[in-house]
Amino acid sequence: MRKVALVTGARGGIGGAIVERLEADEWTVHAVDVDDADLTTREANKAVVDAALSAHGRLDAIVPNAGFQHIAPVRDFPEETWDRLLALLLTSPFLLAKYAWEALAASGEGRVCVIASAHALTASPFKAGYVAAKHGVLGLVKTLALEGAEVGITATAVCPAYVRTPLVETQIADQAKAHGLPAERVLEEVLLERQAVKRLLEPSEVADLVAFLLGPTGSGITGVAVPIDLGWTAR
Ligand SMILES: NC(=O)c1ccc[n+]([C@@H]2O[C@H](COP(=O)([O-])OP(=O)(O)OC[C@H]3O[C@@H](n4cnc5c(N)ncnc54)[C@H](O)[C@@H]3O)[C@@H](O)[C@H]2O)c1
């Protein structure tokens, strides 16, 4: 019987790579994106878990990955955007885990693998909502790991540095404005400034790590951040 994984943000850069890699590893993937369900709402999170279970009859892993970024100083940070960031990056992983919990426990090898960020471990200016939500989701993952231990569920937070995806490409202009720099200097002087290795990650590198954590070799890794951050948090 093939195992089933629910992946959100599945048509994005990292999500697409995760779907491709898990399918190559013979997972059945229930892939959802914003056209299927706006995961900032409680009802949508319930609906995607229900749909996955009714389509496949089981759920062995959830990969909450959907996300977006907003760059603005605190004094100008739109309150509605703060609410949406927390709803998608923090509350959606909680709701997906809650609604999928029984199925993940029934799997015997249930996995919750949240795509968090290096920003779960360290902050940057102008990203109050994103950084707060990503730090929060690491706390959620630790709690899920403690509660999941006795029913065979592991929980991890993958923490990538900058990855070559639309989420990063679209923030270069916003960062240029916030930092008062020309766009061509933003990548090196702002985004990659704190990374020891001065390159973007490829989505497939993150997907390979997720596949490792979801596979049998990942069974002992739980309740932790798993950085793939090109030396960023070594500083
Ligand atoms: N790109 C990076 O550098 C980077 C680094 C660290 C962590 N991450 C995290 O990786 C995850 C994926 O990001 P990405 O870089 O692939 O971005 P992306 O923009 O390519 O993909 C994000 C996906 O989320 C979906 N989405 C947005 N709002 C949604 C909503 N309300 N409901 C459902 N789906 C919604 C989008 O449609 C999109 O397909 C995010 O959680 C992001 O924070 C990205």
Side-chain angles (χ1 to χ4, degrees):
M1 192 76 169
R2 282 165 71 110
K3 287 188 171 181
V4 178
L6 168 63
V7 178
T8 72
R11 283 189 278 287
I14 295 172
I18 293 170
V19 172
E20 195 177 314
R21 175 59 210 265
L22 292 182
E23 286 180 344
D25 282 4
E26 310 216 321
W27 285 79
T28 294
V29 180
H30 191 85
V32 297
D33 210 300
V34 69
D35 302 343
D36 311 300
D38 175 359
L39 295 174
T40 59
T41 73
R42 211 175 286 172
E43 302 70 38
N45 284 279
K46 178 87 169 71
V48 297
V49 172
D50 287 349
L53 285 170
S54 77
H56 310 289
R58 62 185 291 162
L59 207 41
D60 302 281
I62 59 168
V63 185
N65 162 75
F68 70 97
Q69 176 62 277
H70 187 83
I71 313 282
V74 166
R75 66 175 180 277
D76 300 329
F77 209 93
E79 290 157 35
E80 197 178 294
T81 307
W82 167 277
D83 289 345
R84 287 186 52 243
L85 277 164
L86 264 68
L88 187 61
L89 303 181
L90 178 56
T91 306
S92 172
F94 158 69
L95 293 172
L96 294 171
K98 175 182 160 81
Y99 300 137
W101 197 255
E102 206 178 306
L104 295 173
S107 159
E109 296 178 308
R111 298 275 199 275
V112 178
C113 182
V114 179
I115 308 307
S117 169
H119 280 116
L121 302 166
T122 186
S124 296
F126 312 126
K127 296 186 175 178
Y130 187 90
V131 169
K134 294 293 190 184
H135 274 65
V137 88
L138 178 55
L140 171 69
V141 157
K142 291 178 182 178
T143 308
L144 297 178
L146 297 181
E147 293 190 25
E150 63 190 29
V151 286
I153 298 173
T154 69
T156 48
V158 169
C159 296
Y162 288 100
V163 187
R164 194 187 308 280
T165 73
L167 184 140
V168 164
E169 278 150 14
T170 56
Q171 76 172 269
I172 290 182
D174 295 341
Q175 288 274 20
K177 197 167 142 204
H179 287 271
L181 283 173
E184 58 277 10
R185 285 174 52 196
V186 165
L187 188 62
E188 195 136 322
E189 293 181 28
V190 179
L191 298 191
L192 304 185
E193 198 259 326
R194 289 160 68 201
Q195 291 182 198
V197 183
K198 304 288 184 195
R199 70 170 177 87
L200 293 173
L201 289 165
E202 298 302 327
S204 62
E205 297 181 82
V206 180
D208 288 346
L209 177 55
V210 172
F212 175 85
L213 293 168
L214 263 53
T217 39
S219 69
I221 305 173
T222 193
V224 285
V226 184
I228 170 168
D229 69 359
L230 298 164
W232 180 343
T233 56
R235 288 185 196 280

